[in-house]
Amino acid sequence: MSWLRRPLASLRSLVQPRRSSAPGSPLARRSSTSSISAFMPEATALAGVRDYPALRQFSLQQAERFWGALARERLCWISPFTTVSDCDLALGNIRWFEGGRLNVSVNCIDRHVHTCPDRVALIWERDEPGSQVRITYRQLLEMTCRVANTLKRQGVRKGDRVTIYMPASPIAVASMLACTRIGAVHTVVFAGFSAEALAGRIQDAQAETVITTNQAVRGGRIIELKKTVDQAVKMCSSVKHVLVAKRTENEVPMSNIDIPLEEEMMKEEAFCDPVAMESEDLLFLLYTSGSTGKPKGLVHTQAGYLLYATVTHRYVFDYHDGDVFGCVADIGWITGHSYVVYGPLCNGGTTVLFESTPVYPNPGRYWEMVERLKINQFYGAPTAIRLLLKYGDAWVKSHDRSSLKVLGTVGEPINSEAWDWYYRVVGESKCPVMDTWWQTETGGICIAPHPATREAEIVPAMAMRPFFGINPVLMDDQGRKLMGNNISGALCIAQPWPGMARTIYNDHDRFVNTYYKPYPNHFFTGDGAYRSEKGYYQITGRLDDVINISGHRLATAEIEGAVNLHRVVAESAAIGCAHEIKGEASYVFIVLKDGIDIAEHIITEELKHIVSQKIAKYAVPDYVQIVKRLPKTRSGKIMRRVLRKIVEQKLDELGDLTTLDDHTAVQEIVAGVQGDPKE
Ligand code: WT7
């Protein structure tokens, strides 16, 4: 299969050494059968079972009853649903809770205002340490309604797309929820994306409204966010108005389509009737990289997404009322959607909005924040853990972390060293570490050590156990299901669940071809995984041309697309290579146009500039190498697998080169890599 770039045999070598927990160690606590009924009373009562394996069986075999009970219990409906699910994975048709109507903002705010209006919903951890702002559920409702009324006044209606380009802040969350209140579809774009990347996303969504801030503040520096929006909007004829919130007191140029958000919202009423939405109406689009140069707008809908985010938030992190939940992801990623905004708020929780960086003003920032805000669950990225580990234990130990109960990571595989440090030093060997595997496509966590019980065994650096209703299977490269344990394959999910993406915006064919064609009747994740002797899952990495830089997805084709715009570049090939902090870095091979002579360090700088202009700073290549030609098959396909092996210096694993068009290409490149040890 063409997507299967990495042979399955090599997956095994990618799997990090697993350390089984020794009996008697704190990691080896026995699985408890008692706590689960307290966790999921409606489901355990319905199933008449009390332990995780039995409830998991029930959730798979009687998925409709399982999810139906949770949906009735956990969500607040305007009118009840008539069918639980109606899915045909072969066609990529996925529907949950049809017939039901609800409003997401009511689920996330109003119902908590009725029971606990003064509970803190958001803690905005601003860039400047110690300047946090707390917003109660009552205040969040008022803000949300005012923004909703402002949107309505600008003519935004149900189904219209609104692009949000803002850093994490209460007004950004209120903007997302305001969209849900009036039935508009938000599409949050990570505020680190360039003007061109933003423009591409606005165009694809055909958004008429953009919400942004005058400036952003991060790591003590001012970022000219509105300026980037101005550049993007010039390329987007669909945009009719830009709402501009003020993060700083500085004035920025305002044009006739720009509207000062705070000023306008204060003129509006603090009440706004929520629109009754059908379960399968669009909730949001979120763009993510696929294996082509064009990012795809994954579509999530109302009820199923919300239910899944809510339930996973509660059980994976053992979230209890009154806990302070600290997920440091940006709202521009799915993690920010599900575990900064929707999951915690639907659960009536207190959620932290982190605006800063892990090293500002010093590498103790996270732990100083944990102490100051008394964070109970901390959810971060392996790349940040690896970075902080390098600064040493003192930055951690100088802060009181006794509030912490659970630690989590997401976005990329966590290596054993980082896992160990997180567990031992940050958590003082008291907090279970959740290595959570999921994707923009899955809506919420699918595999994590504790889907329900606090006491279950945890194997370091492994996502381990499927969540309720998640049925992972491994496939070989012939599309056959792999049975048994101690085996690696392509990770698929055999059964629908409420949180899964419904389509790619305006491109259902791409949706079906990407996720449902490779393995008929299964959702294909694009990742490889290993199933251990004991049946636990460990993710081994992408099988397609997607690389993962600091937990952010990027298609090698996107990097190549930007690089090829340089006037001297004839063609290029980007690959991911191991990087100590970022997990993966991008390594770009370029062929120059005839007659061009340019020093490698000069072209490297120029290409970094282009990539940051076209995509984002995080995407810039770390290494650029000029080569005479690229290794290609006779049909002209670039063999990135060969390039990867060369960079990894695994020349004995180059594999079958007989399909190569020209053998000398490989020899030349090998000589180049060895002569230039990537400095
Ligand atoms: C890809 C999804 C899910 C929110 C953040 C990223 C990789 C994610 C893990 C993990 C190993 C992981 C996968 C996946 N990934 N979590 N715990 N262990 N790999 O969302 O941008 O949609 O990326 O991130 O490769 O396919 P995303």
Side-chain angles (χ1 to χ4, degrees), residues 595-609:
I596 300 286
D597 189 17
I598 186 168
E600 215 161 56
H601 70 275
I602 294 177
I603 185 86
T604 301
E605 286 315 306
E606 293 181 5
L607 292 179
K608 283 185 178 183
H609 180 70

Side-chain angles (χ1 to χ4, degrees), residues 219-477:
R221 287 208 300 270
I222 299 271
I223 301 157
E224 299 292 347
L225 226 54
K226 168 70 165 49
K227 219 180 198 167
T228 308
V229 172
D230 290 344
Q231 288 167 11
V233 165
K234 278 199 198 115
M235 300 175 236
C236 304
S237 52
S238 63
V239 175
K240 292 192 185 139
H241 21 248
V242 178
L243 304 183
V244 186
K246 278 191 109 166
R247 170 57 178 92
T248 66
E249 291 310 312
N250 302 327
E251 294 298 328
V252 297
M254 298 283 277
S255 76
N256 55 355
I257 62 164
D258 298 335
I259 294 156
L261 178 56
E262 287 92 347
E263 255 174 57
E264 289 304 309
M265 65 190 263
M266 290 326 286
K267 296 180 197 157
E268 299 290 344
E269 280 193 45
F271 304 96
C272 171
D273 273 342
V275 171
M277 301 295 286
E278 306 281 336
S279 293
E280 285 299 335
D281 280 338
L282 268 60
L283 175 61
F284 63 81
L285 314 180
L286 189 58
Y287 286 85
T288 189
S289 295
S291 50
T292 70
K294 190 176 183 302
K296 45 197 177 186
L298 285 159
V299 170
H300 283 284
T301 55
Q302 312 272 326
Y305 168 81
L306 187 64
L307 179 69
Y308 197 70
T310 304
V311 172
T312 49
H313 170 251
R314 191 168 280 278
Y315 301 117
V316 171
F317 298 104
D318 190 22
Y319 187 84
H320 284 75
D321 286 351
D323 285 348
V324 176
F325 190 75
C327 168
V328 290
D330 191 90
I331 53 162
W333 310 113
I334 190 71
T335 311
H337 284 58
S338 301
Y339 300 111
V340 175
V341 181
Y342 291 112
L345 293 181
C346 195
N347 278 322
T350 298
T351 183
V352 174
L353 310 174
F354 185 66
E355 191 187 35
S356 195
T357 84
V359 289
Y360 181 76
N362 60 52
R365 176 60 185 262
Y366 280 166
W367 324 120
E368 185 271 324
M369 170 178 80
V370 164
E371 176 174 9
R372 182 162 34 81
L373 305 183
K374 303 216 170 6
I375 289 174
N376 301 112
Q377 291 88 3
F378 182 86
Y379 192 26
T383 182
I385 311 289
R386 286 193 295 267
L387 176 70
L388 296 179
L389 181 160
K390 296 233 165 295
Y391 285 99
D393 300 2
W395 290 109
V396 184
K397 291 188 169 156
S398 53
H399 299 286
D400 175 10
R401 288 153 286 115
S402 55
S403 59
L404 287 175
K405 296 192 282 191
V406 176
L407 298 171
T409 68
V410 63
E412 49 175 320
I414 180 161
N415 48 312
S416 300
E417 189 194 3
W419 191 99
D420 206 59
W421 186 79
Y422 200 31
Y423 177 72
R424 250 185 337 94
V425 179
V426 175
E428 289 180 351
S429 309
K430 289 184 205 140
C431 307
V433 174
M434 299 298 124
D435 172 5
T436 64
W437 175 86
W438 59 295
Q439 315 175 295
T440 306
E441 291 85 343
T442 69
I445 294 164
C446 288
I447 308 182
H450 286 183
T453 50
R454 266 173 284 179
E455 296 82 5
E457 172 197 39
I458 295 183
V459 181
M462 254 201 178
M464 300 186 74
R465 299 181 177 87
F467 193 74
F468 298 103
I470 299 295
N471 190 2
V473 294
L474 300 179
M475 301 283 193
D476 71 9
D477 51 5

Side-chain angles (χ1 to χ4, degrees), residues 22 63 131 404 539 589:
S131 69
L404 287 175
I539 310 303
F589 293 88

Side-chain angles (χ1 to χ4, degrees), residues 136-208:
T136 64
Y137 274 94
R138 192 205 305 266
Q139 291 168 324
L140 181 59
L141 180 60
E142 184 180 324
M143 269 174 100
T144 300
C145 288
R146 288 183 190 277
V147 178
N149 287 329
T150 310
L151 288 171
K152 281 206 311 207
R153 193 166 298 277
Q154 300 308 320
V156 179
R157 299 279 174 267
K158 182 177 167 182
D160 292 351
R161 275 82 51 219
V162 173
T163 298
I164 298 177
Y165 186 72
M166 300 168 107
S169 55
I171 192 76
V173 174
S175 298
M176 293 166 77
L177 292 166
C179 290
T180 72
R181 194 150 192 99
I182 62 173
V185 178
H186 64 66
T187 153
V188 184
V189 177
F190 170 56
F193 274 117
S194 68
E196 290 207 24
L198 171 61
R201 286 156 175 78
I202 295 174
Q203 287 159 2
D204 190 81
Q206 283 296 296
E208 295 182 352

Side-chain angles (χ1 to χ4, degrees), residues 118-138:
D118 296 320
R119 182 183 288 173
V120 175
L122 313 175
I123 306 180
W124 183 21
E125 172 68 4
R126 289 160 28 108
D127 194 51
E128 306 85 349
S131 69
Q132 68 275 6
V133 174
R134 289 183 163 80
I135 305 285
T136 64
Y137 274 94
R138 192 205 305 266

